[in-house]
Amino acid sequence: MSTLILLPAALQARQPEIEDARKAFLSFYERGEIAGADLEAAKIEQITRARYGVDHLEYASALNYRALVYQAQGKYRQAEAACQRALAIQEKTLSSDHPAVIVTVGNLALAYNALHDYGRAETLLERALATQEKILGAGHPDVARYLINLASAKYNRNKLDETEALLLRAISIREKAWGENHPSIVTPVNNLAVLIQRRGRLNEAEALYNRALSIRERMFGPNNVHVALVQHNLANIYFAQGKYEAALAAYGRALATRESALGPDHPETGLSQHHLATAYAAKGDYVSALAHSRRSIRAVIVYGRNERPETLLDPSSNSMEKRSEYFRLHLANLAAVVKVSSRRSAINDEAFEVAQQADQSLAAVALQQLGQRLSAGNSTLAAMVREEQDLAVVLNQTDKQLFAALSATEAQQNRLAVAALRKQISDASSRRSAIATQLEKQFPEYVALANPKPLKVEEAQALLRADEAQVFFLTGAAESYVFALTKDRFDWKAIPVGSDALVKKVTAFRRGLDLDEYNRAVAAKAKPDVFDLRLAHELYKTLLGPVEAIVKDKKNLIVVPSGPLTALPFQLLLTTEAKAQADAADFSAYRNAEWLLKRHAITVLPSVASLKALRAVAASARAAKPMIGFGDPVFGNEGAGSAPRGASVKAAAKTRAYTDYWKGAGIDRDALGKALPRLADTADELGAIGKKLGAAS
């Protein structure tokens, strides 16, 4: 929702060489030719550094040009650093309300906004706005851009009343200065429409989008990426109003423009495909929905390769959630189509693979980073990985430059520059594909670690033994899914329970396992919560009931949970309804309950593909010694009641909650050492076992 703040006129009379480079920079920048602007910004910086040094105001001005280029390239950390350095130089000489200082403050705020640091962005923009209003007057046109940028920061902090007031002021200022249909009106009008839509005033939002669309079509023509953005937003309004035909038409127009300008695998194109799939599904046309969701997840997969792991790991970017949403919609479309399709086997395979991709976790992305670090041990592998990473950066930045170049009016677009950018993207993509093929051939183990592929049904089945079954759960907003497979059988079912409902059920399920809460209630002579046997059976029927016929006869059950189900102890589910519910006075019902653990030995894995890695290790591992065991551990800070080593200890530890033994993301060793008693008998047992196996003690 932000707009860039361009640099003002020179602080002083510039050398002709610098002035020529500045004019060239602005020409390139305004046309969206970021590569040309980058060269001119580098030239300005080089000349000013040589002529004035790195502590001069002219050098601070040059850093601002660099920051604008970094912003356009998506290098927000570099933009932040350049602005901070420029500000430090300026504040040594200039007053805090000097126009040059305020421009730098505004540009720094834009970097913070892009980095999702909205608090700092808001603080800086409030400072800049107050100064500009003081110097120029509250109704000056230049004040409007600060109002728009401040509105963006406040919107992202959910300060919706303030956001609306700021945008209305910005629109009013620009209307008075340039008229109601001036191109500068579009950004605040579109942003206001987004806000109004969020607040549920759909008819007002529709009128605002139509106004913005009319101005942009006159300005850019009908086939411009800026026009496509407003068309897409207008389609969202139609969809929210239940006007599905109108929504489909508007989404279709936006898609045609984006696909033509940006290509079929661009994220903007993928977004249009995703929303078309959503609209067709709402109409009940799941075949058309499936066709569009297939294209949307292709865009996610292709473009996702250009996202660096650190971007995906940034919680504020929501990248993982956005990717997962596309896959979950596609899975819902598959679930609807499979009921009437004659190609059930092919759809089953597709659903199994899509579910694994939807379940990609932050841990998996972190593992990619680990794999990249591990490649440093092999010079050939390391060189290939570095080149692949460099190409990902190039693709990401070039894509942003192409989008900027295509944002200009048709008359202003430099067709040669656009063609050159497209060729650069094509060449870099081809080279990355070649590297990926080479890595798979030469270093398959590395690829399996850094970029694991989802398993096909038959591949997963081949990993299972005759007495094993695997169940894989994927939770979604409205419904969830369970996949069950054995050596020779496979099926999957939709579960009509979404993530929010599962969170409540799992929380209630675990409440009866909290011994601290139980003891506190007993001490207070209140009625304690006890483990709910009825809920334990209800969850079994919900989660495993749909695939019970496949898994019930297998001795070993491998569970791959996701979302709230990762906190569910599956072994405590009940396979049959309890004859009576236990209470605080009588726990006999627990003794005869049909726990899932009585039927299966249960193993929990983080992903379907992890079984492949485990089986590979098990097949190749050879123990160097007959046995290794640890008994009677010394924690380094044992409780006062600890017995000397070798003494028989039968005192029980004080019961505490599981979470009490954690400090942040790791084990609190001091708490363990103080709470756990010695286990001297375990050392004797291990010694006896080791003696029989011929292991040295």
Side-chain angles (χ1 to χ4, degrees):
M1 291 179 66
S2 61
T3 179
L4 282 172
I5 301 173
L6 289 170
L7 225 54
L11 296 173
Q12 59 186 59
R14 284 193 168 95
Q15 296 290 332
E17 193 176 6
I18 297 176
E19 188 61 23
D20 289 344
R22 186 186 74 84
K23 289 177 181 177
F25 169 88
L26 292 175
S27 176
F28 281 122
Y29 187 87
E30 288 167 356
R31 293 199 308 270
E33 296 176 30
I34 304 304
D38 192 9
L39 290 173
E40 296 302 326
K43 186 187 298 183
I44 294 169
E45 184 182 359
Q46 183 180 9
I47 294 170
T48 53
R49 183 196 291 117
R51 193 156 295 169
Y52 300 108
V54 295
D55 295 318
H56 196 276
L57 291 175
E58 280 293 334
Y59 188 67
S61 181
L63 288 172
N64 262 297
Y65 288 111
R66 295 295 285 166
L68 291 177
V69 170
Y70 288 142
Q71 282 271 10
Q73 292 174 332
K75 300 178 180 178
Y76 303 122
R77 287 295 177 195
Q78 290 96 318
E80 176 193 6
C83 289
Q84 286 178 334
R85 193 172 172 194
L87 193 60
I89 296 168
Q90 291 169 335
E91 288 182 332
K92 289 178 182 177
T93 307
L94 305 174
S95 64
S96 62
D97 59 356
H98 190 280
V101 173
I102 295 307
V103 166
T104 304
V105 166
N107 287 336
L108 178 58
L110 291 181
Y112 285 138
N113 220 23
L115 290 165
H116 310 286
D117 191 347
Y118 304 121
R120 283 205 275 188
E122 181 181 4
T123 300
L124 289 173
L125 286 165
E126 284 178 334
R127 168 188 168 185
L129 175 63
T131 303
Q132 291 294 71
E133 287 178 325
K134 177 181 172 184
I135 295 172
L136 302 173
H140 193 280
D142 282 351
V143 169
R145 68 162 61 103
Y146 290 91
L147 290 168
I148 294 167
N149 288 329
L150 179 56
S152 177
K154 287 185 179 292
Y155 177 86
N156 287 312
R157 302 193 75 197
N158 293 313
K159 298 181 178 181
L160 302 187
D161 287 338
E162 294 176 62
T163 301
E164 186 169 348
L166 290 166
L167 289 172
L168 287 170
R169 273 191 63 197
I171 292 169
S172 176
I173 289 170
R174 289 187 170 179
E175 284 177 337
K176 288 177 183 175
W178 298 312
E180 293 186 355
N181 295 314
H182 192 271
S184 68
I185 300 293
V186 173
T187 295
V189 166
N190 184 76
N191 291 357
L192 180 60
V194 172
L195 170 68
I196 295 298
Q197 178 183 352
R198 180 173 170 182
R199 308 193 88 172
R201 288 146 51 191
L202 300 182
N203 291 334
E204 288 181 56
E206 181 182 351
L208 288 167
Y209 281 133
N210 275 315
R211 179 183 177 188
L213 183 60
S214 175
I215 297 171
R216 279 205 167 155
E217 284 182 331
R218 285 199 303 272
M219 180 180 178
F220 294 107
N223 302 315
N224 183 275
V225 290
H226 279 313
V227 173
L229 171 63
V230 184
Q231 287 172 333
H232 187 94
N233 289 341
L234 185 57
N236 288 341
I237 290 290
Y238 292 144
F239 181 80
Q241 292 170 326
K243 301 175 182 177
Y244 297 134
E245 293 300 333
L248 287 169
Y251 283 136
R253 288 193 295 273
L255 172 62
T257 298
R258 287 169 166 172
E259 197 163 30
S260 173
L262 304 169
D265 299 326
H266 192 276
E268 296 293 321
T269 307
L271 180 65
S272 290
Q273 296 281 18
H274 176 68
H275 281 264
L276 273 166
T278 304
Y280 275 116
K283 275 187 64 183
D285 183 353
Y286 293 105
V287 173
S288 297
L290 185 59
H292 286 288
S293 63
R294 276 198 180 108
R295 293 173 201 153
S296 73
I297 65 168
R298 173 182 160 78
V300 169
I301 293 168
V302 171
Y303 196 79
R305 297 179 191 136
N306 299 338
E307 286 194 273
R308 288 167 287 181
E310 57 267 29
T311 302
L312 291 170
L313 287 167
D314 179 3
S316 61
S317 72
N318 295 321
S319 291
M320 295 301 298
E321 288 82 356
K322 290 173 185 174
R323 288 170 60 149
S324 183
E325 180 186 340
Y326 283 41
F327 289 111
R328 279 174 162 80
L329 174 64
H330 187 52
L331 191 60
N333 290 334
L334 286 167
V337 170
V338 76
K339 296 174 183 175
V340 296
S341 175
S342 60
R343 299 178 62 250
R344 183 176 178 88
S345 178
I347 291 179
N348 284 347
D349 288 341
E350 184 178 0
F352 188 57
E353 293 180 48
V354 166
Q356 292 173 70
Q357 290 168 312
D359 193 41
Q360 185 183 25
S361 64
L362 294 177
V365 178
L367 195 60
Q368 290 182 35
Q369 288 188 314
L370 173 62
Q372 289 159 5
R373 289 197 294 272
L374 291 176
S375 70
N378 182 302
S379 58
T380 303
L381 174 58
M384 292 170 66
V385 171
R386 277 197 301 272
E387 184 182 1
E388 195 272 340
Q389 290 174 327
D390 291 343
L391 286 167
V393 173
V394 168
L395 280 165
N396 194 285
Q397 294 171 3
T398 309
D399 175 76
K400 293 180 187 299
Q401 294 174 30
L402 176 62
F403 191 90
L406 291 169
S407 297
T409 64
E410 194 169 343
Q412 290 179 315
Q413 281 182 19
N414 184 329
R415 297 181 183 236
L416 290 176
V418 168
L421 288 169
R422 283 182 169 147
K423 185 177 186 305
Q424 189 176 355
I425 289 172
S426 176
D427 291 346
S429 297
S430 297
R431 177 56 187 154
R432 284 196 81 201
S433 296
I435 291 173
T437 301
Q438 193 175 354
L439 282 170
E440 286 209 30
K441 287 181 179 178
Q442 292 184 238
F443 305 101
E445 295 87 356
Y446 167 80
V447 173
L449 176 64
N451 189 25
K453 293 182 179 179
L455 297 182
K456 297 180 182 298
V457 171
E458 61 268 24
E459 291 174 327
Q461 287 177 316
L463 295 169
L464 295 173
R465 300 180 178 119
D467 64 346
E468 290 178 332
Q470 184 179 70
V471 287
F472 164 40
F473 295 95
L474 181 70
T475 57
E479 65 179 7
S480 302
Y481 306 91
V482 56
F483 296 81
L485 57 160
T486 64
K487 195 77 174 170
D488 53 8
R489 297 182 67 184
F490 171 81
D491 199 6
W492 65 291
K493 301 288 185 183
I495 300 172
V497 183
S499 295
D500 289 345
L502 284 172
V503 166
K504 293 177 182 177
K505 288 180 181 293
V506 172
T507 301
F509 181 92
R510 294 186 64 91
R511 193 173 295 127
L513 301 174
D514 191 331
L515 292 177
D516 274 1
E517 285 297 322
Y518 180 90
N519 289 333
R520 276 194 286 269
V522 170
K525 297 184 178 179
K527 183 179 179 180
D529 287 321
V530 296
F531 184 77
D532 190 338
L533 293 172
R534 293 188 182 90
L535 179 57
H537 181 56
E538 178 191 328
L539 279 170
Y540 173 82
K541 289 193 297 182
T542 300
L543 300 174
L544 290 169
V547 293
E548 183 181 47
I550 294 179
V551 305
K552 68 178 182 179
D553 295 328
K554 300 301 179 182
K555 179 181 177 183
N556 297 292
L557 182 64
I558 300 167
V559 179
V560 181
S562 73
L565 296 182
T566 57
L568 178 66
F570 279 82
Q571 64 271 23
L572 298 182
L573 299 181
L574 289 192
T575 58
T576 60
E577 189 172 359
K579 294 178 181 178
Q581 174 72 314
D583 59 41
D586 181 10
F587 293 110
S588 61
Y590 293 143
R591 187 175 303 112
N592 300 317
E594 295 297 327
W595 307 105
L596 186 63
L597 187 60
K598 289 184 177 181
R599 180 195 289 174
H600 306 286
I602 297 172
T603 303
V604 178
L605 293 181
S607 69
V608 172
S610 60
L611 183 60
K612 184 176 181 179
L614 289 172
R615 290 282 149 91
V617 170
S620 61
R622 290 183 178 275
K625 296 182 179 181
M627 174 188 169
I628 183 169
F630 301 91
D632 191 15
V634 177
F635 293 98
N637 189 15
E638 296 173 344
S642 298
R645 182 169 296 283
S648 178
V649 179
K650 295 185 178 179
K654 177 183 178 296
T655 302
R656 294 176 60 183
Y658 172 76
T659 52
D660 289 350
Y661 296 110
W662 289 82
K663 180 187 292 182
I667 290 288
D668 187 336
R669 298 183 183 279
D670 285 344
L672 274 175
K674 291 174 182 176
L676 297 181
R678 292 282 298 276
L679 301 171
D681 291 345
T682 61
D684 296 335
E685 291 172 12
L686 279 171
I689 294 169
K691 187 175 181 181
K692 288 186 176 296
L693 293 175
S697 60

